[in-house]
Amino acid sequence: MSKRETIAIDMDGVLANNMAHYLAYHFRETGIRITETEIQGKPEEQCFEDPDAVYRYLAMPDFFRTLPINPDAQEVVQRLNDHFNVYIVSAAMEFPWSLVEKYNWLAEHFPFISWQQIVFCGDKGIVKADYMIDDHCYNLQSFSGNSLLFNCYHNINETEFERLNSWKDAERYFFSKG
Ligand SMILES: [Mg+2]
């Protein structure tokens, strides 16, 4: 029997829909409604007039605990988990207060992921796996395995890596091969 391959899966922008959360926080704070279409292709800090807005939202208690989940993420990650060694890899040390919230969020939405499969880290360059699914090119650039860019509003113009358009697309990628 061949060895199970490993997949490193990012949280923010991949399992979780950070963009929808930013827009909701921004609307609550300012009363200004910005649509998803308006921020396509923009880096996080350019989505709102106030360049500090995203960081301010990220720093709010419960931000990470209440993130909406991306469509089909639960079902597809569960299926991947049955056939691959799945690790959830998040550069959570950028926001140290997020650790417990992220852990509890995973426990709620991905209860089949054990604590041994969770890697909260700093620089993802240390991570070795067969596949990495991430929404930021800088994480994929230092990765030595198969780099997969998960479609996200800020990366729509990136062409450096193979793109997964959605979790359904990820399912096709991993299960329709060969
Ligand atoms: Mg991310």
Side-chain angles (χ1 to χ4, degrees):
M1 204 175 111
S2 63
K3 190 174 148 282
R4 270 159 70 118
E5 290 184 301
T6 51
I7 310 178
I9 301 176
D10 180 31
M11 288 181 76
D12 295 313
V14 174
L15 294 180
N17 186 345
N18 287 52
M19 179 262 291
H21 222 31
Y22 299 147
L23 296 179
Y25 272 62
H26 183 257
F27 179 69
R28 267 209 302 277
E29 187 183 66
T30 64
I32 299 166
R33 203 176 286 285
I34 293 177
T35 65
E36 297 184 11
T37 318
E38 289 172 69
I39 61 167
Q40 297 300 310
K42 289 187 184 177
E44 287 180 350
E45 63 279 5
Q46 288 173 26
C47 290
F48 306 110
E49 205 162 297
D50 176 1
D52 298 326
V54 166
Y55 192 85
R56 191 164 58 249
Y57 306 149
L58 290 167
M60 286 180 180
D62 283 340
F63 178 90
F64 291 97
R65 182 65 186 87
T66 56
L67 276 165
I69 189 163
N70 264 333
D72 307 307
Q74 284 160 314
E75 297 76 10
V76 176
V77 173
Q78 182 144 33
R79 191 171 171 206
L80 288 173
N81 194 46
D82 291 337
H83 296 86
F84 296 84
N85 288 342
V86 164
Y87 293 91
I88 308 301
V89 180
S90 175
M93 291 317 301
E94 188 178 359
F95 313 110
W97 61 88
S98 74
L99 295 175
V100 172
E101 291 191 17
K102 279 174 173 274
Y103 181 86
N104 289 334
W105 188 88
L106 286 172
E108 179 189 349
H109 298 293
F110 299 87
F112 51 88
I113 296 289
S114 70
W115 63 267
Q116 290 97 336
Q117 295 171 270
I118 299 173
V119 180
F120 289 157
C121 63
D123 188 333
K124 290 191 186 181
I126 194 68
V127 173
K128 191 173 169 226
D130 293 305
Y131 302 88
M132 177 178 276
I133 305 176
D134 206 286
D135 63 316
H136 280 295
C137 289
Y138 57 76
N139 287 323
L140 298 172
Q141 278 154 356
S142 58
F143 183 65
S144 58
N146 297 290
S147 293
L148 300 167
L149 186 69
F150 196 86
N151 197 62
C152 196
Y153 70 91
H154 61 76
N155 70 26
I156 57 160
N157 299 316
E158 300 286 353
T159 55
E160 192 178 348
F161 298 104
E162 186 161 1
R163 180 178 295 268
L164 300 178
N165 284 308
S166 63
W167 276 105
K168 279 287 172 209
D169 196 24
E171 186 173 37
R172 272 190 297 276
Y173 177 86
F174 285 101
F175 293 108
S176 306
K177 288 193 294 188

